[in-house]
């Protein structure tokens, strides 16, 4: 049994928007911060564009790229905590001043740049998905 295209699109939009909102706000120490609007509204705009222009496949790759950036930040923070900071001192990345706005906007910028790159790559290949 296959799903209708409209239902598939709605599910993809919901999943991508949730993944962007969660990944983009990972650096916010306070989940009620006004900065949470950056990934929610910005991600919503990117998802809306992708849904209107049939760019959900490139958006999926862009969301994956954004999550790779989140993973790189996490691993980088862990490496700094283990090898640079004194023994026993753990400094979460979100506690540093200025990291939350820079990181939140930066992760959205990674998403937008990756989405633009995958859209361009798809157009160069004649409309087929990235491989």
């Amino acid at each position: 049994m296959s799903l209708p295209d409209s239902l598939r699109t709605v599910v993809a939009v919901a999943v991508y928007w949730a993944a962007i909102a969660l990944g983009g706000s990972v650096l916010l120490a306070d989940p009620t911060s006004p900065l949470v609007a950056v990934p929610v509204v910005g991600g919503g705009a990117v998802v809306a564009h992708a849904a209107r222009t049939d760019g959900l496949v490139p958006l999926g790759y862009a969301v994956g790229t954004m999550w790779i950036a989140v993973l790189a930040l996490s691993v980088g923070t862990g490496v700094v905590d283990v090898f640079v900071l004194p023994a026993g001192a753990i400094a979460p990345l979100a506690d540093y001043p200025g990291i939350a706005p820079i990181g939140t906007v930066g992760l959205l910028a990674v998403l937008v740049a990756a989405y633009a790159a995958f859209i361009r790559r798809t157009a160069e290949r004649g409309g087929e998905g990235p491989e």
Side-chain angles (χ1 to χ4, degrees):
M1 178 175 147
S2 67
L3 295 174
D5 285 340
S6 60
L7 180 60
R8 217 177 290 164
T9 300
V10 168
V11 170
V13 164
V15 169
Y16 289 151
W17 197 1
I20 293 167
L22 289 172
S25 63
V26 75
L27 294 174
L28 299 176
D30 179 14
T32 62
S33 166
L35 278 173
V36 80
V38 172
V40 171
V41 173
V46 174
V47 170
H49 180 270
R52 279 194 318 268
T53 61
D54 197 30
L56 289 174
V57 171
L59 178 62
Y61 287 105
V63 170
T65 303
M66 184 193 76
W67 274 96
I68 289 172
V70 169
L71 177 64
L73 282 170
S74 299
V75 170
T77 302
V79 168
V80 168
D81 280 344
V82 170
F83 294 110
V84 177
L85 295 177
I90 297 176
L93 188 60
D95 286 347
Y96 291 113
I99 291 296
I102 293 169
T104 302
V105 172
L107 286 172
L108 184 64
V110 166
L111 174 76
V112 170
Y115 177 60
F118 285 118
I119 286 288
R120 184 174 46 252
R121 183 176 177 192
T122 300
E124 288 172 358
R125 291 178 177 240
E128 63 188 43
E131 296 175 341

